Amino acid sequence: MPIRFDHKPGLVIYLTVGDPSLEATREIALAAIDAGADALELGVPFSDPVADGPVIQRASEHALEHGTSLKDVIGLARELRAARPQVGLVIFSYLNPILRYGLSKFADDAAAAGADGVLVTDLIVEEAGEYLAEMNRVGLSPIFLAAPTSPDERLQAIAEHSKGFIYAISRTGVTGTRQSVAGDASELVSRIRRWSKLPVAVGFGISNAEHVAQVAEFADAAVIGSAIVALVERSTPETAAGAVARFIKGLRLPQAAPAR
Amino acid sequence: MASIILPANPSESRPGRFGVYGGRYVPETLVAALDELERAYNEAKKDPAFQAELYTLLTEYAGRPTPLTFCKRLTEELGGAKIYLKREDLLHTGAHKINNALGQGLLAKRMGKKRIIAETGAGQHGVATATVCALLGMECVVYMGDVDMERQELNVLRMKLLGAEVRGVSAGSKTLKDAINEAMRDWVTNVRTTFYILGTAFGAHPYPTMVRDFQKVIGEEIKKQILVKEKRLPDAVIACVGGGSNAIGAFYEFIPDREVRLIGVEAGGYGPKLGEHAARFRGGLPGVLQGAFSYVLQDENGQIAQTHSVSAGLDYASVGPEHAMLHDLGRAEYVARSDQEVLDAVVKLARTEGILPALESAHAVAEAIRIAPTMGKDEILVVNLSGRGDKDMGILARELKL
């Protein structure tokens, strides 16, 4: 199923699965969808998250303390697909847990669970031959990151191999909240548009309605990660879903209300 | 067995691949910087002026060539093969790490980068990098796990004295792997201004190739020196393997010489279970960590395992991809020696030869002590003594109850 951004601006919500617990992530995910998230990135916790800042590092540690695995994430995707057929579901992982699970088995199981796409943080297009073949075989969308440092020839390759949407990194650095959205981001998105007609989502450092409004001026969707994960960390397992729902509802300013 | 992500055509040999191993598994943000580094390195490699400047520093500053020392008393006591030590411990800063730090430091200068970052385990690479930054007038930030800062405190103080900022890392097992994570996060953030001097033959392409090239002088010198002394090649070259830079440096020249056994010694720690050692070829599976596809100690969910070694420099969950290839090809053998065997080897070498090896290097010494008695008196072992042991006096005092 294609990932659709029916709301303007589109919202992609990242969750570290298993933080604070698998059950809590399920409740938070459902609340996020009902509050207006167009797509969810279901983050597979990893012991060595080199692309992530302190917030997602801590969340990953919490999730790993009680053994959250890729299998659990696929299981959660299956439940969410059954409960909310329309939402976009992306499995977001570092490569090693997928290799250990078995690339081909992962592709089969993720597709059967009803996931729409996969984003592998540390897999670049040049290394993705077998991965792309597997994604294509089962009809999953491979989503690649594009960075402000990516030259045009790389953006062209990223555009050529991406499906679903392209994830534009707002600035160099790890995940985490920032004061403002860098000027890097709009330039990057306009460069991506030269090579691709896919929707472009901007992430890294997007943490409030003002950021979302800035992103909406030049991109199709904003990805909110660390701000949500930090909110989950500040909440109790019982209050997290409600807090996340209120936060997401507040991300679209009144003039940019849902289009439907 | 983990599935392997291969380039489109696996038979196509391409830069950065050692058989199926190696590659470039990094966040997209770093790819342009790795491409820039690869281009700059390939140009520098062919530039006689760069090579001449590096040669001058290696000879007049670092102290190359290092001697090949015959261990007369140790050989007699063991009663078997003749044991030679390649004395990288005599280099400026006390270990082979300076070979690579000088090479990458000159490359950073050539690329116009003013800010240097590095990771360090035992502190030897951190000290070498801090030294080169002082020499070349560059800003230096070194990431080091909290556990390693405590057990290698002397090197922390040396780095500070040399003007480097040492940033402690409290994540994970607080050792080398976690220091590399934090250095990668710094690099991904400051990629436009910063040069990452990676200390071992690991990580994303071009690092494993570049670091090996800067270290292969070790094996080239061994070959020349042993041919002068013995008029023939050694029967085996032995080196400890953490990330694997001193080992690949010692082995590389001998890879075509099939009659020379290449023996890599990993950290056996205190037991065979996951978490008790850092022997990647005994308990690891192919996987991806910190930029490279290689053998990785990991659990059934693909999470990277905790490791243990008495030596901070070998306490790492993965291993250089060229070693992974040599392992699979059977061209090099990989064994593991325990913490206790290593401590015994330190004492033995100190008291028979008056040489105090680093705990890392003592793994190679321990293997030589184990196999020399099984070999004939006309056979020859060369041990790469990658570093000196002054930095380990705190651990040695405690473990040996001095």
Side-chain angles (χ1 to χ4, degrees):
Chain A
M1 187 168 64
I3 297 165
R4 289 164 50 188
F5 296 106
D6 289 337
H7 304 77
K8 297 295 170 202
L11 288 179
V12 180
I13 301 298
Y14 169 94
L15 299 171
T16 300
V17 176
D19 172 46
S21 71
L22 202 52
E23 298 70 36
T25 304
R26 182 175 177 277
E27 295 311 309
I28 295 164
L30 291 171
I33 297 163
D34 296 341
D38 300 278
L40 293 185
E41 291 177 346
L42 301 176
V44 179
F46 184 50
S47 54
D48 294 82
V50 293
D52 287 299
V55 171
I56 293 177
Q57 288 176 46
R58 279 199 302 273
S60 303
E61 280 176 27
H62 296 158
L64 290 174
E65 275 163 20
H66 42 89
T68 310
S69 67
L70 177 55
K71 190 172 174 227
D72 295 327
V73 177
I74 294 169
L76 178 65
R78 185 182 303 110
E79 291 180 54
L80 294 174
R81 173 55 69 228
R84 300 290 185 275
Q86 81 291 353
V87 73
L89 290 176
V90 176
I91 294 181
F92 192 107
S93 184
Y94 287 84
L95 181 56
N96 202 57
I98 294 175
L99 290 181
R100 188 66 196 260
Y101 192 92
L103 182 58
S104 194
K105 181 173 185 295
F106 166 72
D108 285 334
D109 293 356
D116 301 297
V118 178
L119 194 160
V120 185
T121 316
D122 51 353
L123 185 62
I124 58 173
V125 283
E126 288 89 336
E127 305 288 8
E130 194 183 331
Y131 164 80
L132 285 167
E134 289 294 329
M135 293 296 105
N136 289 334
R137 179 178 65 79
V138 299
L140 283 170
S141 296
I143 295 159
F144 286 97
L145 298 167
T149 51
S150 308
D152 284 351
E153 64 266 24
R154 293 196 56 77
L155 293 183
Q156 193 176 359
I158 288 164
E160 189 184 324
H161 295 293
S162 294
K163 288 182 183 153
F165 63 91
I166 292 175
Y167 187 136
I169 298 173
S170 69
R171 65 172 74 191
T172 63
V174 294
T175 58
T177 57
R178 306 286 197 288
Q179 289 302 312
S180 66
V181 179
D184 278 354
S186 65
E187 194 225 321
L188 172 61
V189 172
S190 64
R191 288 199 296 130
I192 292 169
R193 299 229 196 262
R194 272 184 240 159
W195 308 109
S196 177
K197 292 190 164 52
L198 286 176
V200 179
V202 172
F204 280 40
I206 315 293
S207 61
N208 57 39
E210 197 186 338
H211 294 164
V212 172
Q214 286 171 35
V215 166
E217 286 170 21
F218 55 86
D220 303 286
V223 187
I224 327 290
S226 295
I228 297 271
V229 176
L231 183 56
V232 171
E233 188 180 32
R234 289 197 302 272
S235 310
T236 65
E238 294 74 34
T239 61
V244 167
R246 279 191 300 280
F247 180 78
I248 291 173
K249 283 176 187 157
L251 284 173
R252 291 191 180 98
L253 294 172
Q255 62 268 33
R260 56 174 188 190
Chain B
M1 173 76 141
S3 170
I4 296 169
I5 301 243
L6 293 172
N9 178 3
S11 63
E12 186 185 307
S13 167
R14 56 174 195 165
R17 283 280 171 186
F18 304 93
V20 298
Y21 301 107
R24 195 180 265 182
Y25 298 92
V26 291
E28 173 66 24
T29 306
L30 291 180
V31 179
L34 290 165
D35 280 337
E36 182 194 6
L37 176 62
E38 184 181 8
R39 276 194 303 275
Y41 174 60
N42 286 335
E43 283 167 24
K45 199 162 62 167
K46 284 181 265 167
D47 181 354
F50 177 86
Q51 292 296 346
E53 190 176 5
L54 179 58
Y55 179 80
T56 301
L57 285 174
L58 287 173
T59 52
E60 296 175 13
Y61 184 74
R64 301 215 73 87
T66 58
L68 190 67
T69 302
F70 175 57
C71 296
K72 184 165 179 292
R73 289 193 64 222
L74 182 64
T75 297
E76 283 172 6
E77 192 174 316
L78 295 171
K82 294 166 85 168
I83 298 174
Y84 284 88
L85 300 179
K86 178 60 174 167
R87 300 295 304 281
E88 295 295 294
D89 61 315
L90 293 178
L91 284 170
H92 179 44
T93 71
H96 74 291
K97 295 292 186 189
I98 193 75
N99 301 326
N100 170 57
L102 281 169
Q104 289 196 46
L106 285 183
L107 190 57
K109 189 179 87 169
R110 183 186 170 96
M111 291 170 74
K113 306 274 185 183
K114 299 266 195 289
R115 180 175 183 269
I116 301 294
I117 58 169
E119 85 297 337
T120 198
Q124 289 302 121
H125 175 59
V127 168
T129 302
T131 298
V132 169
C133 288
L135 179 70
L136 300 177
M138 298 188 288
E139 181 190 347
C140 182
V141 174
V142 179
Y143 291 93
M144 188 170 189
D146 285 346
V147 166
D148 292 342
M149 282 182 75
E150 197 242 310
R151 61 177 163 170
Q152 305 276 235
E153 189 193 2
L154 187 62
N155 277 341
V156 175
L157 298 174
R158 290 168 78 194
M159 286 184 267
K160 286 182 179 169
L161 179 64
L162 289 159
E165 180 190 343
V166 183
R167 294 188 187 166
V169 179
S170 60
S173 53
K174 307 176 178 58
T175 56
L176 178 57
K177 171 173 73 73
D178 311 288
I180 294 177
N181 284 341
E182 215 49 45
M184 287 180 77
R185 290 182 187 121
D186 182 315
W187 201 32
V188 88
T189 305
N190 303 298
V191 61
R192 289 171 169 129
T193 59
T194 296
F195 189 108
Y196 180 12
I197 299 190
L198 184 61
T200 191
F202 193 70
H205 177 62
Y207 282 105
T209 302
M210 181 170 68
V211 175
R212 178 253 283 152
D213 288 353
F214 287 134
Q215 294 292 1
K216 69 182 181 183
V217 63
I218 301 171
E220 290 166 358
E221 287 179 8
I222 292 172
K223 188 179 262 188
K224 279 188 208 137
Q225 290 165 322
I226 201 75
L227 286 173
V228 169
K229 285 177 197 268
E230 295 282 350
K231 312 285 183 287
R232 71 173 184 88
L233 295 179
D235 296 282
V237 176
I238 307 177
C240 67
V241 184
S245 71
N246 93 80
I248 202 68
F251 292 173
Y252 192 66
E253 176 69 17
F254 293 99
I255 290 173
D257 303 312
R258 306 291 302 191
E259 70 274 28
V260 180
R261 288 171 66 193
L262 305 175
I263 304 172
V265 188
E266 299 186 283
Y270 61 86
K273 290 209 282 287
L274 201 61
E276 295 177 345
H277 62 85
R280 290 67 46 100
F281 291 119
R282 201 168 63 187
L285 280 175
V288 164
L289 176 65
Q290 296 172 335
F293 182 65
S294 185
Y295 282 75
V296 182
L297 289 166
Q298 53 183 299
D299 71 11
E300 68 281 3
N301 291 324
Q303 305 296 337
I304 310 307
Q306 304 262 323
T307 53
H308 166 81
S309 171
V310 70
S311 64
L314 305 188
D315 197 350
Y316 184 60
S318 189
V319 60
E322 195 160 10
H323 288 292
M325 179 187 75
L326 293 173
H327 170 270
D328 286 10
L329 291 173
R331 178 63 193 94
E333 308 153 47
Y334 295 86
V335 297
R337 298 274 63 88
S338 71
D339 286 353
Q340 190 56 53
E341 290 171 296
V342 167
L343 291 165
D344 293 345
V346 170
V347 174
K348 175 80 87 181
L349 191 66
R351 295 185 182 173
T352 56
E353 299 294 336
I355 294 170
L356 173 57
L359 285 167
E360 290 75 17
S361 321
H363 284 72
V365 176
E367 178 63 9
I369 290 171
R370 196 183 69 86
I371 66 172
T374 70
M375 298 169 72
K377 290 189 172 175
D378 55 341
E379 293 188 278
I380 301 165
L381 289 179
V382 175
V383 175
N384 191 30
L385 203 72
S386 55
R388 70 182 188 217
D390 310 47
K391 69 183 176 64
D392 297 318
M393 280 317 303
I395 298 168
L396 292 170
R398 190 173 64 240
E399 296 290 334
L400 302 173
K401 303 187 172 53
L402 296 174

